[in-house]
């Protein structure tokens, strides 16, 4: 019950932060824009592939994960830091909640807010299709489940992974600089993995298991698909994709376990107290 | 319920010995903990509410092991820290409601009623919808006591609660505390002697991490009666008088310095016996170190 109360309060608290609405609308706008203009041009596919083919929607969803990485650091990394910065932690840590309840309440509340914000990418991308800057013959009929499928496959596991990472960084260091450094490092590491490791790997199949965006993994699996197949078939839920997603979900879980074990509800002495 | 503290010790990483073998027994009622800044009061308070680990010693609240069973402890305490903050964009009512839910008041109607009563008790009912970011220091402090009172705690710890309050707010605060102190153990940590004199039935003086004295304020004052002497001196003579006598306190009065001295007999010609007060008890215990620093 206390965890539910902590989650309820977190949602109510976050609902009062204008910046969350800004994140949502900015993400919706970016998604709308990319979807409207079409990203087929940057995807290496045949001209016969439709603008809203499942593979293209998969790629669009992956692309929209990049701004979400940064938004996640601002939302998830600061959840616990906030209580220390505002000075309310002595009141919270002397109320009858234990650290597991406290952390669970903050994490679940935060990630729910992040998921709601990330719906902006889903809604924007879907809406963009109706205003697509393409002739009707280049488009397939609207298939909302394709967007939802890509959102569930790429965005949700990635959000859990980065949330775990930022939450651990913020909660254990209690420093915003650590979270933002994490954010920058993460983008750099993901880019390095993507361009420096996976693209040059001898065993591409093995390397794509660590593909954060799952772009190269899916490209590898759909490499020999005809344009007609790309237009009609959904992204295959392969063993590789499941392992890939499990790796990222697993790291997220590990980060949470680490936080739950290492976090202390004792407080360092304030400067006033000698 | 009784709070028993035995041989508490705490040394910080920088080598400061904040608590040096503190032992105390505290029964229901208002208990004043006096001491200068840096005496170890906040360290003791923070240890008792579970925000800090002790290096050694033990403490129990009734049957609860204070140092090792924090979950049970937190079910039974209210704490107003020396310094704390609140969420600025949240209303007083909303945050108090949240604390009440965390403290186990699950029924929504009962919680609303409790929040109303508490806001009323600390005279914040008119500001219930106001964001906490717009609260003055005194209002924030009153909110702090309201959250500490949720759930009728067996132990209420208030650390330097009246610092920064205007006289009217201080009086109101005292009234709330004394009302609570009828059924609860209230530890009032302060360096303001008057707070203890006005409110507490029992008190202790802490200095440099050690307990110097414990008892009922009136009894401690009585023990000093007949042993406090006062005389006015020119400023130039004060230093010499300090060397000659056990000076309790000094204060400037009509251009001269009034010196109060502790002595079983008249210390010298011209000294008059005066009625002892709690300040004499306090300063006779902690010495003049703090006061000298404060004077020009």
């Amino acid at each position: 019950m206390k965890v539910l109360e902590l989650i309820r309060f977190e949602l109510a608290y976050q609902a009062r932060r204008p910046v969350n609405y800004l994140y949502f609308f900015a993400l919706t706008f970016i998604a709308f824009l990319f979807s409207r203009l079409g990203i087929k041009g940057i995807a290496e596919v045949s001209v016969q592939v439709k603008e809203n083919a499942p593979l293209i929607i998969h790629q669009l969803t992956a692309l929209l994960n990049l701004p979400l990485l940064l938004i996640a650091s601002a939302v998830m990394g600061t959840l616990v830091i906030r209580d220390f910065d505002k000075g309310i932690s002595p009141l919270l840590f002397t109320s009858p909640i234990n650290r597991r309840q406290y952390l669970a309440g903050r994490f679940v509340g935060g990630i729910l807010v992040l998921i709601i914000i990330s719906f902006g990418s889903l809604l924007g991308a879907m809406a963009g299709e109706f205003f697509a800057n393409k002739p009707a013959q280049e488009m397939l009929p609207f298939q909302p489940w394709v967007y939802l499928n890509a959102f569930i496959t790429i965005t949700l596991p990635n959000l859990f992974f980065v949330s775990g990472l930022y939450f651990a960084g913020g909660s254990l260091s209690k420093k915003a600089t650590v979270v933002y450094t994490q954010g920058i490092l993460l983008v750099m590491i993901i880019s390095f993995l993507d361009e420096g490791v996976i693209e040059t790997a001898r065993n591409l199949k093995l390397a794509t298991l660590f593909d954060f965006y799952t772009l190269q993994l899916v490209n590898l699996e759909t490499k020999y698909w005809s344009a007609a197949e790309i237009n009609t078939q959904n992204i295959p839920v392969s063993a590789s994709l499941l392992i890939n997603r499990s790796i990222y979900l697993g790291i997220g879980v590990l980060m949470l376990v680490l936080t739950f074990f290492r976090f202390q509800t004792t407080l360092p002495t304030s400067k006033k107290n000698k | 319920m009784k709070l028993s503290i035995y041989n508490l010790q705490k040394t910080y990483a920088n080598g400061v010995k904040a608590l040096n073998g503190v032992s105390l027994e505290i029964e229901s009622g208002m208990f004043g903990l006096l001491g200068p800044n840096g005496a170890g009061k906040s360290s003791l308070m923070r240890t008792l509410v579970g925000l800090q680990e002790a290096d050694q010693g033990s403490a129990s609240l009734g049957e609860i092991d204070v140092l090792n069973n924090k979950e049970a402890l937190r079910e039974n305490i209210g704490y107003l820290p020396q310094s704390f903050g609140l969420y600025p964009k949240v209303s007083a009512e909303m945050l108090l409601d949240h604390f009440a839910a965390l403290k186990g008041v699950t029924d929504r109607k009962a919680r609303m009623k409790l929040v109303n009563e508490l806001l009323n008790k600390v005279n914040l009912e008119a500001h219930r919808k106001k964001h906490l970011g717009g609260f003055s220091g005194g209002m924030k402090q009153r909110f702090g006591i309201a959250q500490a009172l949720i759930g009728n705690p067996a132990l209420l710890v208030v650390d330097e609660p009246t610092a920064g309050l205007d006289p009217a707010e201080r009086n109101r605060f005292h009234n709330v505390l004394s009302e609570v102190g009828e059924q609860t153990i209230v530890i009032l940590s302060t360096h303001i002697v008057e707070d203890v004199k006005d409110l507490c039935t029992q008190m202790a003086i802490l200095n440099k991490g050690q307990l110097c004295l414990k008892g009922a304020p009136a009894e401690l004052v009585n023990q000093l009666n007949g042993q406090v002497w006062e005389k006015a001196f020119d400023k130039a003579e004060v230093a010499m008088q300090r060397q000659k006598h056990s000076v309790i306190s000094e204060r400037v009065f009509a251009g001269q310095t009034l010196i109060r001295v502790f002595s079983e007999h008249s210390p010298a010609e011209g000294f008059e016996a005066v009625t002892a007060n709690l300040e004499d008890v306090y300063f006779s215990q902690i010495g003049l170190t703090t006061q000298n620093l404060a004077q020009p």
Side-chain angles (χ1 to χ4, degrees), chain B residues 238-282:
Chain B
V238 172
M240 197 174 68
Q241 294 303 319
R242 273 189 211 137
Q243 286 174 351
K244 278 188 180 171
H245 309 291
S246 304
V247 177
I248 298 171
S249 64
E250 300 164 9
R251 72 186 169 96
V252 177
F253 181 73
Q256 286 199 301
T257 304
L258 269 179
I259 293 181
R260 285 169 90 94
V261 167
F262 172 78
S263 171
E264 287 182 13
H265 311 288
S266 175
E269 202 178 320
F271 274 93
E272 279 180 31
V274 287
T275 312
N277 59 35
L278 200 57
E279 275 198 12
D280 296 324
V281 175
Y282 176 62

Side-chain angles (χ1 to χ4, degrees), chain A residues 115-131:
Chain A
I115 290 170
I116 294 168
I117 291 171
S118 69
F119 280 149
S121 69
L122 186 65
L123 297 175
M126 283 190 196
E129 191 177 314
F130 291 98
F131 297 90

Side-chain angles (χ1 to χ4, degrees), chain A residues 50-111:
Chain A
K50 306 289 186 189
E51 272 296 344
N52 56 347
L55 182 69
I56 306 297
I57 289 173
H58 182 91
Q59 295 191 346
L60 173 66
T61 307
L63 184 71
L64 292 169
N65 270 217
L66 185 62
L68 261 175
L69 271 183
L70 303 171
I71 293 172
S73 78
V75 175
M76 297 304 294
T78 55
L79 288 168
V80 168
I81 294 175
R82 173 192 77 208
D83 291 338
F84 285 84
D85 280 353
K86 305 282 183 212
I88 201 167
S89 39
L91 305 186
L92 286 168
F93 297 164
T94 51
S95 66
I97 48 168
N98 58 41
R99 67 175 168 182
R100 294 179 298 281
Q101 291 168 324
Y102 170 73
L103 291 171
R106 287 285 178 272
F107 181 81
V108 175
I111 202 165

